[in-house]
């Protein structure tokens, strides 16, 4: 089955990291976001990916071609007019009578897709959330979707659409997006996939939902770190390093150099990173980064970055009290 993966976005909420890297290539728990997604898709039987690239798209293209041998088609979205527009650009590469899977490029998931791919109806991955205003939501009745609303101002449902879409037939989706584009129907300035799906529902298409309990957002620094923490669970380091204490779970690249450091828990250390005299926990350290004489918590250090604190030499007497900033 074919999967469409839109990754054209700029990833503004993850700046400065996305100034030099597309969001989907940011490392979380030892591999790029898109690596986690591809591994799951391939396990679920996806044998062809249509990847919508845009911002720093050549880097995504290069990485995917180097690491996976399934068939790829890259579609260039030069103007970011919304998710529905991105999907619409894939029309020449999709067979309308065939099923289609769509997954957002910044959504790492943990769900068994096998039954989803066999669903007799189109079906959307959903998760209950406390504050649905940031998401597209689904209003359901006995498992069937009655209505979809993009970022509702009033709380009509707490079932967020999490970015996994199975279309039983691709054709009606493209007809629906044609309708949005021909009639200039935009929400918050963009052609929304939620609006296209809602138009299909109004036209009589049956949609169901499937629960996605493991849904790990990577769109913001705090969610990236949170996802790093969740994915690292059970990751045990087997190597020892001179003068180091490793508090599992961690991911430490084989060729990273560590000396006199306390690492973890929930820490990813990238390729060829050099860590000396440091305490690092709940953090992601990039490839070739150098970190020394510092304590880091909930931090993201980019590739090739250099972070150095200072160690002090002091000579103070009994009952003194000093605080070094
Ligand atoms: P987001 O809006 O969440 O991601 O789109 P973004 O634009 O990369 O990040 P911010 O908001 O600037 O921080 C969800 C997914 O849909 C893709 C994005 O690349 C992302 O994977 N997308 C969105 C497109 O490919 N094209 C679009 O026009 C819109």
């Amino acid at each position: 089955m074919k999967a469409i993966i839109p990754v054209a976005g700029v990833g503004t909420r993850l700046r400065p990291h996305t100034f030099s890297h597309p969001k989907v290539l940011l490392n979380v728990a030892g591999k790029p976001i898109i690596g986690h997604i591809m591994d799951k898709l391939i396990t679920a039987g996806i044998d062809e990916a249509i990847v919508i690239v845009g911002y720093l798209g050549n880097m995504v293209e290069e990485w995917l071609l180097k690491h996976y041998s399934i068939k790829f088609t890259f579609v260039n979205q030069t103007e970011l007019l919304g998710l529905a527009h991105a999907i619409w650009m894939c029309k020449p590469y999709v067979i309308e009578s065939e099923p289609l899977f769509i997954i957002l490029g910044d959504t790492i998931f943990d769900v068994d897709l096998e039954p989803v791919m066999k669903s007799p109806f189109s079906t959307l991955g959903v998760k209950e959330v406390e504050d649905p205003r940031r998401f597209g939501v689904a209003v359901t009745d006995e498992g069937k979707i009655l209505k979809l609303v993009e970022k509702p101002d009033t709380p009509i449902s707490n079932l967020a659409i999490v970015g996994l879409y199975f279309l039983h037939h691709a054709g009606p989706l493209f007809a629906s997006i044609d309708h949005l584009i021909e009639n200039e129907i935009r929400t918050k300035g963009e052609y929304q996939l939620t609006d296209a799906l809602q138009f299909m529902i109004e036209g009589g298409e049956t949609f169901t939902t499937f629960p996605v309990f493991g849904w790990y957002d990577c769109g913001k620094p705090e969610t990236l770190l949170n996802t790093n923490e969740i994915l690292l669970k059970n990751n045990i380091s087997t190597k020892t390093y001179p003068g180091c204490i490793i508090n599992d779970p961690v991911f430490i690249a084989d060729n990273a150099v560590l000396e006199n450091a306390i690492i973890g828990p929930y820490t990813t250390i990238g390729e060829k990173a050099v860590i000396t005299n440091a305490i690092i926990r709940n953090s992601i350290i990039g490839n070739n980064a150098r970190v020394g004489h510092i304590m880091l918590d909930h931090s993201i250090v980019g590739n090739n970055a250099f972070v150095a604190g200072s160690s002090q030499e002091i000579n103070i007497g009994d009952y003194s009290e000093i605080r070094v900033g």
Side-chain angles (χ1 to χ4, degrees):
M1 191 182 301
K2 286 182 187 167
I4 295 183
I5 314 172
V7 301
V10 174
T12 40
R13 289 167 298 161
L14 268 169
R15 284 178 179 162
H17 306 286
T18 46
F19 280 132
S20 50
H21 276 80
K23 174 161 66 179
V24 294
L25 289 190
L26 297 181
N27 187 336
V28 56
K31 66 182 150 191
I33 295 168
I34 196 147
H36 290 277
I37 296 173
M38 287 304 302
D39 292 346
K40 294 274 185 196
L41 290 181
I42 290 169
T43 309
I46 294 293
D47 53 8
E48 187 176 341
I50 304 168
V51 186
I52 303 152
V53 291
Y55 177 72
L56 301 177
N58 55 337
M59 292 172 80
V60 181
E61 220 172 301
E62 212 172 278
W63 193 86
L64 285 173
L65 291 172
K66 186 170 165 202
H67 290 88
Y68 296 94
S69 53
I70 64 163
K71 182 176 179 212
F72 284 105
T73 303
F74 296 96
V75 175
N76 205 0
Q77 188 192 22
T78 45
E79 243 189 314
L80 294 175
L81 296 178
L83 209 44
H85 173 260
I87 307 292
W88 180 74
M89 297 196 64
C90 303
K91 199 173 174 179
Y93 311 102
V94 168
I95 297 168
E96 302 211 345
S97 58
E98 285 188 357
L100 177 67
F101 193 71
I102 301 172
I103 174 157
L104 301 191
D106 54 359
T107 303
I108 298 180
F109 61 92
D110 190 7
V111 66
D112 181 7
L113 285 180
E114 225 177 280
V116 174
M117 305 284 189
K118 289 185 190 143
S119 167
F121 301 112
S122 293
T123 183
L124 309 184
V126 291
K127 185 171 187 204
E128 274 189 32
V129 293
E130 273 174 27
D131 180 6
R133 283 171 301 182
R134 290 197 297 124
F135 308 97
V137 296
V139 180
T140 57
D141 184 34
E142 291 181 1
K144 300 248 163 80
I145 300 180
L146 301 177
K147 193 175 176 186
L148 299 170
V149 185
E150 183 63 30
K151 301 189 180 78
D153 294 325
T154 48
I156 51 160
S157 164
N158 62 352
L159 274 188
I161 307 166
V162 299
L164 291 95
Y165 312 79
F166 171 78
L167 280 306
H168 197 259
H169 294 100
L173 174 65
F174 287 93
S176 181
I177 305 177
D178 279 343
H179 168 79
L180 295 189
I181 292 176
E182 278 160 21
N183 295 286
E184 270 294 319
I185 300 170
R186 302 187 193 213
T187 301
K188 302 194 161 85
E190 293 188 349
Y191 297 112
Q192 303 284 356
L193 183 56
T194 311
D195 292 343
L197 298 170
Q198 169 61 21
F199 189 64
M200 288 170 71
I201 292 169
E202 285 166 18
E205 177 93 11
T206 300
F207 274 92
T208 60
T209 60
F210 63 95
V212 182
F213 299 110
W215 169 46
Y216 312 122
D217 180 34
C218 297
K220 298 185 285 180
E222 59 274 25
T223 58
L224 190 72
L225 286 171
N226 199 28
T227 297
N228 183 56
E229 178 176 332
I230 292 165
L231 297 182
L232 279 179
K233 280 202 177 109
N234 310 324
N235 234 62
I236 306 297
S237 152
T238 48
K239 243 172 134 174
T240 54
Y241 302 87
C244 290
I245 296 172
I246 308 296
N247 293 321
D248 288 313
V250 295
F251 171 87
I252 301 171
D254 271 349
N255 53 10
V257 177
L258 275 59
E259 214 180 297
N260 301 329
I262 302 176
I263 306 294
Y266 307 117
T267 298
T268 291
I269 308 282
E271 306 273 328
K272 295 186 182 165
V274 179
I275 316 290
T276 46
N277 305 303
I279 301 176
I280 307 177
R281 59 180 177 232
N282 306 304
S283 296
I284 300 174
I285 309 297
N287 298 340
N288 296 304
R290 284 181 297 147
V291 177
H293 295 278
I294 198 162
M295 182 171 146
L296 297 178
D297 192 6
H298 286 97
S299 301
I300 305 176
V301 174
N303 296 335
N304 303 300
F306 173 71
V307 187
S310 59
S311 41
Q312 322 286 331
E313 192 178 309
I314 53 176
N315 179 15
I316 61 167
D318 299 349
Y319 299 104
S320 305
E321 189 175 323
I322 58 164
R323 294 176 207 277
V324 181

